[in-house]
Amino acid sequence: MVPKIIMSVVFYIFLSIQLHTSMAQTNWIRAGFYMYNQYEFPISEINFALFTHIICEYAAVNSTSYQLSLSPADEQHFPEFTHTIKQNNPSVATMLSIHINGDATYSTMVSTSSNRKSFIDSSIKIARRYGFEGLDFSWQFPATSIDMFNMGILFKEWKAAIDLEATDSSRSALILTAKVYNTPKIYSTSYPIESIQQHLDWVHFFVDYIKNDISWDRHTSTEASLYNPYDFDNADCGIREWIDGGLSANKMVLTLPFYGFAWRLENPMDNGIGAPAKVQLNLCGELLDKGNNLVLLQ
Ligand SMILES: *[C@@H]1O[C@H](CO)[C@@H](O)[C@H](O)[C@H]1NC(C)=O
């Protein structure tokens, strides 16, 4: 895990330029992630004027019940998060990100309707209980066509459950978003674009897509470049693929990582992007603190 980066690893700029609306009328989404475990940046010091949505990272999922699994710390932090934000700026929407890292729980969760129902019902209940106005789904990464297909069903059922709950409770429907890879095609399969288009409010991209390049740690690079002369894995190519696949631009939020990696150059004179270098790890084998910028070390 990356140590202590100041709040907001990422924030987003909505790409939406809707037909028939001018730029002035466009509602840009400016969302930021806030992670309790890593950042020692008090919520009350967030400059709320910068954001339309703040997403709390994250709730985990129980690998047998498929319900959200909150630690005692989560139970303390989540209400503090939503309460502080609403008190400081009621117009900023609060969302809860749900994620699992690197195991098969999501594959099994999405694979049956009863598992999906446990997950969905629990997510809505937890969101309401702690005062969140939306849910963000983060699966890093669905690997098979079956996972992708089932994820499409999950989104459909999730949205239906959210709408039903909103009607029953006479409240605004929870916002539903997901983090996706920066291109729709991964591991020879593709995200369920049609379901995303129909059922999600928007998607945003995982950052660090340089890591898709197997030699990423051996030459200086950028985290998530808009254009990249060295590689097709960049935001521009990815967004085009999503649009070609049928996702509207107004369902996409561009992700900007607010950090960089530290590198040790092989030759100090050769210090541009793509220069031979080693990414720096700390004693625990973690990526060295990156501060706010890409740091080039000699
Ligand atoms: C996960 O859910 C199961 C079944 O409800 C429960 O027995 C178990 O304690 C839960 N695990 C955690 C870590 O909460």
Side-chain angles (χ1 to χ4, degrees):
M1 286 278 117
V2 177
K4 282 193 248 164
I5 309 165
I6 309 295
M7 196 237 125
S8 177
V9 175
V10 174
F11 78 82
Y12 308 116
I13 298 172
F14 205 28
L15 292 176
S16 162
I17 301 171
Q18 288 150 1
L19 296 174
H20 316 302
T21 57
S22 71
M23 288 293 287
Q25 291 167 309
T26 303
N27 294 322
W28 293 74
I29 289 188
R30 287 169 283 119
F33 278 110
Y34 183 89
M35 188 180 245
Y36 263 105
N37 301 335
Q38 288 184 14
Y39 310 124
E40 290 165 8
F41 188 89
I43 305 168
S44 54
E45 290 188 21
I46 295 172
N47 179 356
F48 292 101
L50 296 174
F51 299 99
T52 56
H53 298 73
I54 301 183
I55 306 172
C56 182
E57 288 208 298
Y58 55 80
V61 178
N62 179 309
S63 58
T64 49
S65 69
Y66 306 108
Q67 298 180 341
L68 300 202
S69 174
L70 270 47
S71 67
D74 294 337
E75 285 173 12
Q76 182 197 329
H77 289 145
F78 290 174
E80 182 188 324
F81 175 87
T82 52
H83 181 73
T84 309
I85 292 176
K86 286 289 138 189
Q87 227 178 17
N88 285 281
N89 196 334
S91 68
V92 173
T94 55
M95 295 176 59
L96 177 63
S97 174
I98 305 170
H99 96 157
I100 302 172
N101 241 341
D103 67 21
T105 302
Y106 274 156
S107 282
T108 329
M109 183 275 281
V110 294
S111 68
T112 73
S113 96
S114 71
N115 291 354
R116 291 191 297 267
K117 185 166 173 15
S118 298
F119 171 80
I120 290 169
D121 291 351
S122 143
S123 72
I124 295 172
K125 202 171 78 191
I126 296 286
R128 291 303 194 195
R129 182 187 301 159
Y130 293 100
F132 291 102
E133 295 158 283
L135 291 160
D136 177 53
F137 182 71
S138 168
W139 183 352
Q140 191 171 0
F141 294 101
T144 66
S145 319
I146 295 172
D147 283 347
M148 290 296 196
F149 179 78
N150 290 338
M151 181 165 50
I153 299 176
L154 173 78
F155 292 155
K156 181 173 183 226
E157 293 174 351
W158 207 349
K159 179 62 180 157
I162 281 175
D163 286 346
L164 185 66
E165 188 272 348
T167 309
D168 287 351
S169 65
S170 310
R171 303 171 73 170
S172 303
L174 293 167
I175 300 161
L176 185 60
T177 65
K179 250 194 226 175
V180 294
Y181 197 62
N182 64 311
T183 95
K185 296 193 183 81
I186 56 168
Y187 305 122
S188 337
T189 177
S190 174
Y191 278 96
I193 300 181
E194 202 182 319
S195 175
I196 289 173
Q197 173 73 26
Q198 275 184 34
H199 307 300
L200 298 190
D201 289 280
W202 74 78
V203 292
H204 39 244
F205 307 121
F206 285 102
V207 285
D208 275 3
Y209 31 90
I210 57 162
K211 289 189 189 156
N212 206 33
D213 166 4
I214 53 164
S215 68
W216 76 274
D217 54 350
R218 279 172 275 146
H219 58 82
T220 59
S221 189
T222 56
E223 302 288 312
S225 36
L226 185 54
Y227 303 103
N228 184 345
Y230 301 95
D231 192 353
F232 288 112
D233 208 10
N234 60 61
D236 179 59
C237 289
I239 288 166
R240 284 171 201 276
E241 282 184 38
W242 276 103
I243 291 173
D244 289 346
L247 190 66
S248 350
N250 66 2
K251 293 257 172 178
M252 268 183 274
V253 176
L254 182 64
T255 308
L256 306 176
F258 271 53
Y259 59 91
F261 292 129
W263 307 88
R264 186 173 299 277
L265 293 165
E266 277 183 17
N267 171 4
M269 304 307 289
D270 182 4
N271 52 23
I273 292 177
K278 260 200 193 128
V279 76
Q280 297 297 290
L281 306 176
N282 68 16
L283 292 175
C284 306
E286 294 167 333
L287 284 165
L288 204 65
D289 193 320
K290 302 167 286 189
N292 292 321
N293 297 299
L294 183 76
V295 183
L296 296 177
L297 301 175
Q298 294 202 349

